[in-house]
Amino acid sequence: MKSMIETNIVRGLAVIIILNTLIAGASYYTIRQSQELRDWESHTQEVLINLEETLSSFSEMHAVFRGYVLFNEPGLLTSFFESKKNLLKKIQELETLTLDNPRQQEQLRIISPLVFEKTSSFETLIMDKKHRSVASYIGPFRSTQGIILTRKIQSLFSEMKKEEIRLLTIRKADSERNLFVAAILIFLGILLNLTFIILQYILIYKESQRRQIAEEEVELSNKNLKEYSGQLERSNKDLESFSYSVSHDLRAPIRGISGFSKILMEDFGKNLDEEGQRILNIIIKNSENMGQLIDDLLEFSRLGRREIAFTNVNMQQVMERVLEEVKDCYPGIKIETRIGELPSIKADSALLKQMLFNLISNAFKYSKDKEHPKVDIDSYQNNGEVTYFIKDNGAGFDMRYQHKLFNIFQRLHHSEQFEGTGVGLAIVKRVIEKHNGKVWAEGKVNEGACFYFTLGVQENNA
């Protein structure tokens, strides 16, 4: 399961990226808007300056014209025409600058003919001055019509100026508002980033603490497990040594009892009555059983200490040899046997042979009393692993007790029915476990049993 903290960190980073993207986009948009408003603000200021210069040119033209009328200096006439030229130029510039403003354009369309009319009247008076006396054109110069025209032109320029001042005020306010919004967005972005970073840090810190505690617990568990494993290993070694010593020490007296009982039966059996012979036979049989049990225990004990030596084993040949050996143990009993196709495998050949002998001899033992005993040996592939099986039609067993089959000294049949010590299948299980394989069985009472086994992982297959 993927750690929840890692999922939360990924989600948090995704949220931070999305928020930053949104805030950056909004900030960029508002800053761009502010820049455009500033450009418009600069444009309005430029229009205002131009209006001031236009009015200044208009006033200068008036002043120069009056000077020329009063002092009749030719240089002032030149200045008049230059002032007129500047005035017309400024009006043209105003027409260009106010293309975005229809209202100002309308004002200029009204001003332009008035200025033209004003300058034409000045030029007419200048031309008349060459043919008439000063007193003759002072009257028209001071006429009410000329003053009204001048005031009207100045009034129109003043209205244009007021309009630009109004626009300048609005654009300044909009620009400042946009800058304020951009600053708020940037501040919120920084605040959110800091908040998420702090949250992520808290989550990572908590997860780090949790993992540290878990690692310490695992380390402590491993340490305890190692100690327990060592204790268990020592106990197993002690137990194996004890079992081996006890079994080995018991072997000699049991053989002595069996041997002397047989001698007694052979040399002095005729002197014993029937009950004495029966008791002596019981002693011989029990001592033989005890000897076999000790031999099995010794073998079982040796298996625990033995190291596995893997070699390529031809299962077909080994199985045939073991089958012949088992048949020799049951002379006079005709059992139908069949060996199928058995793939070769890597295994310890000696242990494998012993394990097969136990399984096949069990199949013979439990099926020998059947009218037509049969033992079937074969294999099949299961998920790339070879499974071998030995099947008989003998006494079988109750599946409710299958868990006892491979435990030492656990028997599902009475010793009076079938001989044995209860160690054979335990040896089978130990051999299989040493090969990292599995063994299991299926059976039905009076219908037979089938023992399956594998011998380790796939790479052990030859």
Short mmCIF file of all heavy atoms in Angstrom, two decimals, residues 362-399:
data_model
loop_
_atom_site.label_atom_id
_atom_site.label_comp_id
_atom_site.label_asym_id
_atom_site.label_seq_id
_atom_site.Cartn_x
_atom_site.Cartn_y
_atom_site.Cartn_z
N ASN A 362 5.16 -47.46 1.69
CA ASN A 362 3.86 -47.19 2.31
C ASN A 362 2.72 -47.62 1.39
O ASN A 362 1.72 -48.20 1.83
CB ASN A 362 3.73 -45.70 2.61
CG ASN A 362 4.11 -45.39 4.05
OD1 ASN A 362 4.56 -46.27 4.77
ND2 ASN A 362 3.94 -44.15 4.47
N ALA A 363 2.86 -47.27 0.09
CA ALA A 363 1.82 -47.64 -0.88
C ALA A 363 1.66 -49.16 -0.94
O ALA A 363 0.54 -49.69 -1.00
CB ALA A 363 2.18 -47.09 -2.26
N PHE A 364 2.79 -49.89 -0.92
CA PHE A 364 2.72 -51.36 -0.92
C PHE A 364 2.07 -51.87 0.36
O PHE A 364 1.23 -52.77 0.34
CB PHE A 364 4.13 -51.94 -1.07
CG PHE A 364 4.56 -52.09 -2.50
CD1 PHE A 364 4.69 -51.01 -3.34
CD2 PHE A 364 4.83 -53.37 -3.01
CE1 PHE A 364 5.08 -51.16 -4.66
CE2 PHE A 364 5.22 -53.52 -4.33
CZ PHE A 364 5.36 -52.42 -5.15
N LYS A 365 2.52 -51.28 1.49
CA LYS A 365 2.06 -51.78 2.79
C LYS A 365 0.54 -51.64 2.94
O LYS A 365 -0.13 -52.55 3.40
CB LYS A 365 2.77 -50.99 3.89
CG LYS A 365 2.39 -51.39 5.29
CD LYS A 365 3.27 -50.73 6.32
CE LYS A 365 3.14 -49.24 6.33
NZ LYS A 365 3.96 -48.61 7.38
N TYR A 366 0.02 -50.49 2.50
CA TYR A 366 -1.41 -50.24 2.73
C TYR A 366 -2.32 -50.79 1.63
O TYR A 366 -3.54 -50.73 1.74
CB TYR A 366 -1.67 -48.74 2.89
CG TYR A 366 -1.12 -48.20 4.20
CD1 TYR A 366 0.01 -47.39 4.21
CD2 TYR A 366 -1.70 -48.52 5.40
CE1 TYR A 366 0.54 -46.91 5.39
CE2 TYR A 366 -1.20 -48.05 6.60
CZ TYR A 366 -0.07 -47.25 6.59
OH TYR A 366 0.45 -46.79 7.77
N SER A 367 -1.73 -51.32 0.55
CA SER A 367 -2.56 -51.87 -0.53
C SER A 367 -2.35 -53.38 -0.71
O SER A 367 -3.01 -54.00 -1.54
CB SER A 367 -2.28 -51.15 -1.84
OG SER A 367 -0.92 -51.28 -2.20
N LYS A 368 -1.45 -53.98 0.06
CA LYS A 368 -1.12 -55.41 -0.14
C LYS A 368 -2.30 -56.31 0.18
O LYS A 368 -2.40 -57.44 -0.34
CB LYS A 368 0.08 -55.78 0.72
CG LYS A 368 -0.20 -55.69 2.22
CD LYS A 368 1.02 -56.01 3.04
CE LYS A 368 0.68 -55.90 4.53
NZ LYS A 368 1.85 -56.18 5.37
N ASP A 369 -3.20 -55.86 1.04
CA ASP A 369 -4.34 -56.71 1.42
C ASP A 369 -5.50 -56.60 0.46
O ASP A 369 -6.50 -57.31 0.61
CB ASP A 369 -4.83 -56.33 2.82
CG ASP A 369 -3.75 -56.61 3.87
OD1 ASP A 369 -2.93 -57.53 3.63
OD2 ASP A 369 -3.73 -55.91 4.89
N LYS A 370 -5.40 -55.74 -0.54
CA LYS A 370 -6.47 -55.60 -1.54
C LYS A 370 -6.46 -56.80 -2.48
O LYS A 370 -5.41 -57.43 -2.70
CB LYS A 370 -6.28 -54.31 -2.33
CG LYS A 370 -6.68 -53.06 -1.57
CD LYS A 370 -8.18 -52.96 -1.52
CE LYS A 370 -8.63 -51.69 -0.83
NZ LYS A 370 -10.08 -51.51 -0.86
N GLU A 371 -7.61 -57.05 -3.09
CA GLU A 371 -7.70 -58.18 -4.02
C GLU A 371 -6.86 -57.94 -5.27
O GLU A 371 -6.17 -58.83 -5.76
CB GLU A 371 -9.16 -58.40 -4.40
CG GLU A 371 -9.37 -59.66 -5.21
CD GLU A 371 -10.84 -59.92 -5.48
OE1 GLU A 371 -11.69 -59.15 -4.95
OE2 GLU A 371 -11.14 -60.87 -6.21
N HIS A 372 -6.90 -56.70 -5.77
CA HIS A 372 -6.08 -56.34 -6.93
C HIS A 372 -5.31 -55.05 -6.61
O HIS A 372 -5.69 -53.96 -7.04
CB HIS A 372 -6.95 -56.12 -8.18
CG HIS A 372 -7.74 -57.32 -8.59
ND1 HIS A 372 -7.16 -58.45 -9.12
CD2 HIS A 372 -9.08 -57.58 -8.50
CE1 HIS A 372 -8.08 -59.35 -9.36
NE2 HIS A 372 -9.28 -58.85 -8.99
N PRO A 373 -4.27 -55.18 -5.84
CA PRO A 373 -3.52 -53.97 -5.44
C PRO A 373 -2.81 -53.32 -6.63
O PRO A 373 -2.27 -54.01 -7.49
CB PRO A 373 -2.53 -54.50 -4.41
CG PRO A 373 -2.35 -55.93 -4.75
CD PRO A 373 -3.67 -56.40 -5.29
N LYS A 374 -2.85 -51.98 -6.62
CA LYS A 374 -2.21 -51.25 -7.72
C LYS A 374 -1.48 -50.04 -7.14
O LYS A 374 -1.95 -49.39 -6.20
CB LYS A 374 -3.27 -50.74 -8.72
CG LYS A 374 -3.90 -51.84 -9.54
CD LYS A 374 -4.69 -51.28 -10.72
CE LYS A 374 -5.85 -50.44 -10.25
NZ LYS A 374 -6.67 -49.96 -11.39
N VAL A 375 -0.35 -49.75 -7.73
CA VAL A 375 0.43 -48.55 -7.36
C VAL A 375 0.77 -47.81 -8.65
O VAL A 375 1.37 -48.40 -9.55
CB VAL A 375 1.72 -48.90 -6.59
CG1 VAL A 375 2.57 -47.65 -6.37
CG2 VAL A 375 1.38 -49.55 -5.27
N ASP A 376 0.36 -46.57 -8.69
CA ASP A 376 0.56 -45.76 -9.90
C ASP A 376 1.51 -44.60 -9.57
O ASP A 376 1.28 -43.85 -8.61
CB ASP A 376 -0.79 -45.22 -10.37
CG ASP A 376 -0.69 -44.57 -11.74
OD1 ASP A 376 0.34 -44.77 -12.40
OD2 ASP A 376 -1.64 -43.86 -12.12
N ILE A 377 2.58 -44.45 -10.35
CA ILE A 377 3.58 -43.39 -10.11
C ILE A 377 3.65 -42.52 -11.36
O ILE A 377 3.87 -43.04 -12.46
CB ILE A 377 4.96 -43.98 -9.80
CG1 ILE A 377 4.87 -44.91 -8.58
CG2 ILE A 377 5.99 -42.88 -9.57
CD1 ILE A 377 6.12 -45.73 -8.36
N ASP A 378 3.49 -41.21 -11.20
CA ASP A 378 3.48 -40.35 -12.39
C ASP A 378 3.80 -38.91 -11.97
O ASP A 378 4.12 -38.64 -10.80
CB ASP A 378 2.10 -40.41 -13.07
CG ASP A 378 2.22 -40.21 -14.58
OD1 ASP A 378 3.20 -39.55 -15.00
OD2 ASP A 378 1.33 -40.67 -15.30
N SER A 379 3.67 -37.99 -12.90
CA SER A 379 3.95 -36.58 -12.62
C SER A 379 3.12 -35.70 -13.55
O SER A 379 2.57 -36.17 -14.55
CB SER A 379 5.44 -36.26 -12.82
OG SER A 379 5.77 -36.37 -14.19
N TYR A 380 3.05 -34.40 -13.21
CA TYR A 380 2.39 -33.42 -14.09
C TYR A 380 3.01 -32.05 -13.83
O TYR A 380 3.65 -31.81 -12.79
CB TYR A 380 0.88 -33.40 -13.87
CG TYR A 380 0.44 -33.01 -12.49
CD1 TYR A 380 0.25 -31.66 -12.14
CD2 TYR A 380 0.21 -33.97 -11.50
CE1 TYR A 380 -0.16 -31.31 -10.87
CE2 TYR A 380 -0.19 -33.62 -10.24
CZ TYR A 380 -0.39 -32.28 -9.92
OH TYR A 380 -0.78 -31.91 -8.67
N GLN A 381 2.81 -31.17 -14.79
CA GLN A 381 3.33 -29.80 -14.67
C GLN A 381 2.25 -28.89 -14.10
O GLN A 381 1.10 -28.96 -14.50
CB GLN A 381 3.74 -29.26 -16.06
CG GLN A 381 4.94 -29.97 -16.68
CD GLN A 381 6.25 -29.41 -16.15
OE1 GLN A 381 6.27 -28.34 -15.55
NE2 GLN A 381 7.33 -30.15 -16.38
N ASN A 382 2.65 -28.04 -13.18
CA ASN A 382 1.71 -27.08 -12.58
C ASN A 382 2.43 -25.75 -12.41
O ASN A 382 3.32 -25.62 -11.57
CB ASN A 382 1.23 -27.60 -11.23
CG ASN A 382 0.19 -26.69 -10.61
OD1 ASN A 382 -0.48 -25.94 -11.33
ND2 ASN A 382 0.05 -26.72 -9.30
N ASN A 383 2.05 -24.76 -13.24
CA ASN A 383 2.66 -23.42 -13.20
C ASN A 383 4.19 -23.50 -13.32
O ASN A 383 4.93 -22.83 -12.60
CB ASN A 383 2.30 -22.68 -11.91
CG ASN A 383 0.82 -22.38 -11.82
OD1 ASN A 383 0.18 -22.11 -12.84
ND2 ASN A 383 0.28 -22.43 -10.62
N GLY A 384 4.65 -24.34 -14.24
CA GLY A 384 6.08 -24.46 -14.49
C GLY A 384 6.81 -25.32 -13.49
O GLY A 384 8.04 -25.47 -13.58
N GLU A 385 6.09 -25.90 -12.54
CA GLU A 385 6.74 -26.73 -11.52
C GLU A 385 6.27 -28.17 -11.69
O GLU A 385 5.09 -28.42 -11.94
CB GLU A 385 6.37 -26.21 -10.12
CG GLU A 385 7.14 -26.90 -9.01
CD GLU A 385 6.79 -26.32 -7.65
OE1 GLU A 385 5.62 -25.92 -7.47
OE2 GLU A 385 7.68 -26.25 -6.80
N VAL A 386 7.21 -29.11 -11.51
CA VAL A 386 6.87 -30.53 -11.66
C VAL A 386 6.32 -31.05 -10.34
O VAL A 386 6.91 -30.85 -9.28
CB VAL A 386 8.10 -31.35 -12.07
CG1 VAL A 386 7.73 -32.82 -12.23
CG2 VAL A 386 8.68 -30.80 -13.36
N THR A 387 5.16 -31.69 -10.42
CA THR A 387 4.58 -32.35 -9.25
C THR A 387 4.57 -33.85 -9.50
O THR A 387 4.03 -34.32 -10.50
CB THR A 387 3.14 -31.85 -9.01
OG1 THR A 387 3.16 -30.44 -8.78
CG2 THR A 387 2.53 -32.55 -7.81
N TYR A 388 5.19 -34.61 -8.59
CA TYR A 388 5.21 -36.07 -8.68
C TYR A 388 4.14 -36.62 -7.73
O TYR A 388 3.83 -35.99 -6.71
CB TYR A 388 6.58 -36.61 -8.27
CG TYR A 388 7.72 -36.05 -9.10
CD1 TYR A 388 8.40 -34.92 -8.68
CD2 TYR A 388 8.12 -36.67 -10.28
CE1 TYR A 388 9.45 -34.40 -9.42
CE2 TYR A 388 9.18 -36.16 -11.03
CZ TYR A 388 9.83 -35.03 -10.59
OH TYR A 388 10.86 -34.51 -11.33
N PHE A 389 3.63 -37.80 -8.06
CA PHE A 389 2.66 -38.41 -7.14
C PHE A 389 2.78 -39.93 -7.19
O PHE A 389 3.18 -40.52 -8.20
CB PHE A 389 1.23 -37.95 -7.45
CG PHE A 389 0.69 -38.41 -8.78
CD1 PHE A 389 0.09 -39.67 -8.94
CD2 PHE A 389 0.77 -37.57 -9.88
CE1 PHE A 389 -0.41 -40.05 -10.17
CE2 PHE A 389 0.26 -37.96 -11.10
CZ PHE A 389 -0.33 -39.21 -11.26
N ILE A 390 2.42 -40.55 -6.05
CA ILE A 390 2.40 -42.01 -5.90
C ILE A 390 1.03 -42.37 -5.36
O ILE A 390 0.66 -41.96 -4.26
CB ILE A 390 3.51 -42.46 -4.93
CG1 ILE A 390 4.88 -42.08 -5.50
CG2 ILE A 390 3.44 -43.97 -4.68
CD1 ILE A 390 6.01 -42.25 -4.52
N LYS A 391 0.30 -43.13 -6.14
CA LYS A 391 -1.10 -43.40 -5.82
C LYS A 391 -1.30 -44.90 -5.65
O LYS A 391 -0.73 -45.70 -6.40
CB LYS A 391 -1.97 -42.86 -6.97
CG LYS A 391 -3.45 -42.98 -6.72
CD LYS A 391 -4.20 -42.36 -7.91
CE LYS A 391 -5.71 -42.43 -7.68
NZ LYS A 391 -6.43 -41.86 -8.86
N ASP A 392 -2.11 -45.26 -4.65
CA ASP A 392 -2.44 -46.69 -4.46
C ASP A 392 -3.94 -46.82 -4.21
O ASP A 392 -4.63 -45.82 -3.98
CB ASP A 392 -1.64 -47.25 -3.28
CG ASP A 392 -2.00 -46.60 -1.97
OD1 ASP A 392 -3.09 -46.85 -1.46
OD2 ASP A 392 -1.20 -45.77 -1.45
N ASN A 393 -4.41 -48.04 -4.25
CA ASN A 393 -5.84 -48.31 -4.01
C ASN A 393 -6.03 -49.08 -2.72
O ASN A 393 -6.89 -49.94 -2.61
CB ASN A 393 -6.44 -49.06 -5.19
CG ASN A 393 -5.80 -50.43 -5.37
OD1 ASN A 393 -4.71 -50.67 -4.84
ND2 ASN A 393 -6.46 -51.33 -6.07
N GLY A 394 -5.16 -48.75 -1.73
CA GLY A 394 -5.14 -49.51 -0.48
C GLY A 394 -6.13 -49.01 0.56
O GLY A 394 -7.27 -48.59 0.24
N ALA A 395 -5.67 -49.01 1.80
CA ALA A 395 -6.55 -48.70 2.94
C ALA A 395 -7.00 -47.26 2.97
O ALA A 395 -8.05 -46.93 3.51
CB ALA A 395 -5.82 -49.03 4.25
N GLY A 396 -6.21 -46.38 2.39
CA GLY A 396 -6.57 -44.96 2.39
C GLY A 396 -6.56 -44.38 3.80
O GLY A 396 -6.03 -44.99 4.74
N PHE A 397 -7.16 -43.20 3.96
CA PHE A 397 -7.24 -42.59 5.30
C PHE A 397 -8.36 -41.56 5.31
O PHE A 397 -8.87 -41.15 4.25
CB PHE A 397 -5.89 -41.93 5.68
CG PHE A 397 -5.48 -40.83 4.75
CD1 PHE A 397 -5.86 -39.52 4.99
CD2 PHE A 397 -4.68 -41.11 3.64
CE1 PHE A 397 -5.46 -38.50 4.14
CE2 PHE A 397 -4.28 -40.10 2.79
CZ PHE A 397 -4.67 -38.80 3.04
N ASP A 398 -8.71 -41.18 6.51
CA ASP A 398 -9.78 -40.20 6.68
C ASP A 398 -9.19 -38.80 6.52
O ASP A 398 -8.26 -38.41 7.25
CB ASP A 398 -10.38 -40.36 8.08
CG ASP A 398 -11.68 -39.57 8.23
OD1 ASP A 398 -11.86 -38.60 7.48
OD2 ASP A 398 -12.50 -39.95 9.10
N MET A 399 -9.72 -38.02 5.58
CA MET A 399 -9.16 -36.69 5.28
C MET A 399 -9.24 -35.75 6.47
O MET A 399 -8.55 -34.74 6.52
CB MET A 399 -9.87 -36.06 4.08
CG MET A 399 -9.46 -36.66 2.74
SD MET A 399 -7.75 -36.31 2.31
CE MET A 399 -7.87 -34.60 1.84
#
